[in-house]
Amino acid sequence: MSDSKQLAAAPIRAAIAELDPSQTLSVDEVAALLAAPPKPELGDFAFPCFLLARALKQAPPAIAAKLAEQLAADPNTGFAAVSALGPYINLKLDPAARTARVVSAALDPAWGALPDGSGKTIGIDYSSPNIAKPFGIGHLRSTAIGQALANLHRTLGYRVVAINHLGDWGTQFGKLMAAFERWGNEEALLDDPIQHLYDLYVRFHEEAKANPALDDEGRGWFRRLEQGDPAAHAYWERFRALSLREFHRIYERLGVSFDHEWGEAYYNNMLAALVDDVKASGITEESEGALVVKLDDLGLPPCLIIKSDGATLYSTRDLAAARYRYEQLGFEKFLYVVGHAQAVHFKQVFAVLDRMGYPWADRCIHVPFGMILGISTRKGTLVFLEDILNRGKELVREIMADREGFTDAEREQVSEQVSIGAIVFYDLSRGRIKDYPFEWDAILRGLRPGEHGPTGPYLQYTHVRLRALEEKFAEKFGALPEALSGEATEALHTADCAHLVALLERYPATLRQAASELEPAVISRFLLELAEGFNTFYSSGTRVLSDDEAATRARIALVVAVRRTLAHGLTLLGVPCPARM
RNA sequence: GCACUCGUAGCUCAGUUGGAUAGAGCGCCGGACUUCGAAUCCGUAGGUCGCAGGUUCAAUUCCUGCCGGGUGUACCA
């Protein structure tokens, strides 16, 4: 809820009460009803009168007319204009007061930080790549969404604990060991470990189609690993270390970091106790040689706790992990940023936690996302994320080739930032539940000359323009403004500027909405609107910097407010903000 | 079969939780660089909101049933 809505709602509430003393609408409820008129010329807010029709036994347009008349007659409402149009009352706020309040708030160092989550802890499980497989484009989704949600909640005041739930345990490890035993090559492993392990993994799956005995071999190796076999353990440790080295290189490029890298194996020594406790809670049964919790009444397949061969599963480790995390963190919420293909799995796990009697079971939330179509680790059609980052970087270098005034180091840094911005923003610009096909052109959109669109580079470019204005202002007038008074806003009383002010005012509510929907794209779309609003203003013919110092100071205050908001939002999304590009 | 999910302009997507004439971007076409960065901006065209019912003053939005795509559906993760 923006401040302006609250301010506007109070007099409306009073006018309604005057018309109908029995009316019980609160100021907050009135504020919630306020909407934006379809055209900005109509006003800043619109109040629909439908809800009052029944109580007053009058037609909405008649009510609107009466309320508008009352509001217009009262000099203390703070509205610059009130008019009824059909069933709506359209309200215009006093632009000077609003502009000064919003811009000054945006210039405050605390802009973007909110107290909502103060004292609360939120855990987030994201990225979570499988060891011994390359970090593919598919992992970008969980990584980018998870990091954005972590950043978002931190700025909302939460204590965020980011956990990388590495897939460092499980049957696929047995398969890898079996494959390495058969076809592994020491030299190849040292030369390019991930590539070699990936090749082995693909080959294993190909050959296993014709030779099912291979799968048994893989399961055998995994069993040896679980039983502490030294040879199996040595493989495990080695594969894991080699993989982590690669992952960390990518995380560093993406600006991603974790508080804990508690992989699946981390919970191994907690499994026995977990299995005992599940049994003790009396909800398990034997079925086809396995230990399961039946969930028929929820329309879910049984949750397997122990396989018929005695080994544990993903679910077992997730149950142990959930419990351990709660003990360690005492979280308010715990988010699992995992593809929607695993929706059933999480329903099962959360249901079992619930049946075990844990009251915090419903604080565990699966945050699903759509998949990237057309890639498969097993089929070997995987696209390495690092290849995409590098290719993007090359494209940016080409664009920058004919630009002067950049050192080699700057070119290196900027091409990295813009490339990452394009790729990360591409992923975060649509609703997370949407599937999308892997297409080089689409992913690298905005990185070729002449390409326009709602992209990361578009936002970065807008930011760069704003930065350039700030620098030019500083050269001429000195320090940038830190606030804006109501008397000084006149130069901003244009449609373009009012639009920007209204957008800025929405930023805190946008952050809250993104958090409540667990949807980074809410921020992405807001930033696109903001950048578009600024670019329209910038190209409109009105110069920010002029000989009129008062107007220049007002406009630069707005520029700084927009730039800071843009930078803040982009940082939340994990999109870098270069100063030049 | 069942469950989840998506279906809005040629394409990619919004739609403020039920409100005014359903909006953007891309692409097409046409414009704007001798003043702050053209990786930008402005304009034109483009719609039975998958289909059919229902709820009510009002449905793209809520309910039911279909149609179509995607993903799952016990010893992979």
Side-chain angles (χ1 to χ4, degrees):
Chain A
M1 192 67 60
S2 66
D3 292 340
S4 287
K5 275 194 184 177
Q6 292 288 349
L7 291 173
I12 297 173
R13 161 82 182 76
I16 294 171
E18 205 175 311
L19 205 60
D20 174 16
S22 65
Q23 189 50 246
T24 57
L25 277 176
S26 71
V27 171
D28 281 347
E29 284 166 330
V30 171
L33 286 169
L34 288 175
K39 287 182 182 175
E41 306 89 82
L42 292 172
D44 298 311
F45 295 112
F47 181 76
C49 298
F50 303 100
L51 282 176
L52 304 174
R54 189 156 301 179
L56 292 172
K57 296 199 170 86
Q58 291 178 53
I63 300 171
K66 275 185 196 167
L67 285 175
E69 201 181 326
Q70 274 176 242
L71 287 166
D74 182 348
N76 301 318
T77 57
F79 295 129
V82 183
S83 63
L85 184 61
Y88 291 88
I89 310 169
N90 290 318
L91 307 153
K92 224 178 191 62
L93 301 169
D94 171 47
R98 186 189 200 193
T99 300
R101 180 167 44 75
V102 172
V103 172
S104 295
L107 296 179
D108 190 285
W111 180 242
L114 296 167
D116 305 32
S118 166
K120 296 176 187 166
T121 296
I122 183 164
I124 312 186
D125 168 335
Y126 63 100
S127 194
S128 310
N130 289 322
I131 297 286
K133 288 191 209 168
F135 201 94
I137 176 71
H139 293 109
L140 176 64
R141 302 232 67 194
S142 174
T143 307
I145 294 166
Q147 185 65 44
L149 291 177
N151 296 340
L152 172 63
H153 283 89
R154 283 198 183 100
T155 205
L156 289 182
Y158 290 87
R159 168 185 168 237
V160 173
V161 181
I163 299 176
N164 193 0
H165 190 59
L166 296 166
D168 60 1
W169 205 252
T171 310
Q172 91 272 7
F173 260 87
K175 292 177 178 177
L176 198 64
M177 290 174 199
F180 193 83
E181 280 285 310
R182 281 174 170 254
W183 314 298
N185 178 311
E186 274 300 322
E187 275 176 43
L189 183 69
L190 291 174
D191 183 45
D192 190 348
I194 297 293
Q195 184 66 49
H196 185 56
L197 293 175
Y198 176 52
D199 290 343
L200 289 173
Y201 187 82
V202 172
R203 180 169 178 184
F204 183 90
H205 277 277
E206 272 171 10
E207 303 218 1
K209 275 186 222 157
N211 180 12
L214 274 178
D215 283 324
D216 292 334
E217 215 170 287
R219 276 190 282 268
W221 270 98
F222 179 56
R223 202 160 45 241
R224 285 175 65 179
L225 181 62
E226 280 215 307
Q227 288 161 357
D229 177 88
H233 193 79
Y235 271 138
W236 176 79
E237 221 161 293
R238 201 164 168 214
F239 294 160
R240 187 178 190 276
L242 290 168
S243 297
L244 268 177
R245 204 191 302 160
E246 156 152 328
F247 295 162
H248 285 151
R249 196 171 64 230
I250 294 169
Y251 289 143
E252 198 171 331
R253 289 181 76 172
L254 293 176
V256 167
S257 63
F258 300 94
D259 297 293
H260 301 290
E261 284 190 320
W262 293 337
E264 292 188 59
Y266 184 81
Y267 305 98
N268 278 342
N269 62 6
M270 309 169 202
L271 294 180
L274 176 100
V275 171
D276 286 346
D277 292 344
V278 183
K279 279 185 188 162
S281 67
I283 56 176
T284 57
E285 51 190 282
E286 288 268 330
S287 174
E288 297 171 34
L291 184 72
V292 309
V293 177
K294 288 216 168 155
L295 302 165
D296 296 357
D297 53 318
L298 295 174
L300 293 169
C303 182
L304 268 78
I305 307 296
I306 293 181
K307 298 199 286 186
S308 51
D309 67 358
T312 58
L313 297 99
Y314 184 39
S315 335
T316 326
R317 289 186 285 278
D318 259 351
L319 287 167
R323 198 159 76 154
Y324 177 78
R325 289 160 171 177
Y326 187 74
E327 284 163 7
Q328 295 296 310
L329 313 178
F331 50 73
E332 193 81 13
K333 271 195 278 190
F334 195 97
L335 309 180
Y336 292 79
V337 185
V338 182
H340 85 269
Q342 292 187 44
V344 171
H345 163 74
F346 284 111
K347 279 185 187 166
Q348 291 176 304
V349 169
F350 301 159
V352 171
L353 290 171
D354 184 47
R355 295 206 173 168
M356 289 177 77
Y358 294 116
W360 45 267
D362 63 358
R363 298 189 211 170
C364 297
I365 301 165
H366 177 209
V367 182
F369 54 82
M371 54 194 306
I372 300 181
L373 308 170
I375 49 167
S376 158
T377 312
R378 295 188 180 185
K379 287 180 189 159
T381 52
L382 188 78
V383 181
F384 293 14
L385 181 57
E386 210 161 20
D387 288 344
I388 298 170
L389 297 180
N390 292 338
R391 191 146 154 192
K393 201 168 171 179
E394 276 316 303
L395 282 169
V396 181
R397 276 218 184 86
E398 285 169 28
I399 295 175
M400 291 185 72
D402 56 356
R403 302 207 165 204
E404 292 170 6
F406 289 92
T407 66
D408 286 350
E410 278 173 321
R411 284 177 200 281
E412 165 69 20
Q413 192 193 4
V414 172
S415 56
E416 173 79 0
Q417 288 178 317
V418 175
S419 165
I420 283 168
I423 292 159
V424 169
F425 189 80
Y426 178 71
D427 197 80
L428 296 180
S429 60
R430 75 192 69 229
R432 58 176 158 72
I433 201 66
K434 299 265 183 190
D435 292 338
Y436 64 88
F438 178 79
E439 286 162 6
W440 279 105
D441 284 351
I443 298 234
L444 301 178
R445 196 163 46 143
L447 290 183
R448 292 191 180 81
E451 281 184 344
H452 301 263
T455 64
Y458 172 79
L459 297 175
Q460 291 172 318
Y461 178 71
T462 306
H463 180 260
V464 162
R465 277 176 143 183
L466 287 153
R467 268 294 283 251
L469 287 171
E470 288 182 357
E471 278 165 24
K472 286 212 161 63
F473 176 90
E475 280 170 24
K476 203 169 166 185
F477 298 101
L480 294 164
E482 288 171 11
L484 181 67
S485 74
E487 299 79 53
T489 61
E490 203 174 319
L492 305 181
H493 295 175
T494 66
D496 286 345
C497 292
H499 179 54
L500 284 172
V501 168
L503 281 169
L504 288 172
E505 187 173 39
R506 259 176 49 200
Y507 187 56
T510 298
L511 296 182
R512 292 190 167 110
Q513 188 193 343
S516 75
E517 293 178 15
L518 302 172
E519 180 59 273
V522 168
I523 302 172
S524 309
R525 291 191 284 260
F526 171 85
L527 296 177
L528 287 170
E529 262 191 87
L530 184 65
E532 210 176 312
F534 171 73
N535 283 321
T536 297
F537 162 66
Y538 186 81
S539 323
S540 67
T542 307
R543 286 178 56 87
V544 173
L545 306 170
S546 70
D547 295 333
D548 181 343
E549 187 172 339
T552 299
R553 285 195 179 276
R555 292 193 185 113
I556 206 70
L558 181 62
V559 162
V560 176
V562 171
R563 203 223 98 222
R564 290 200 49 206
T565 308
L566 201 50
H568 191 268
L570 286 173
T571 304
L572 292 183
L573 295 178
V575 173
C577 298
R580 299 167 64 216
M581 64 189 273

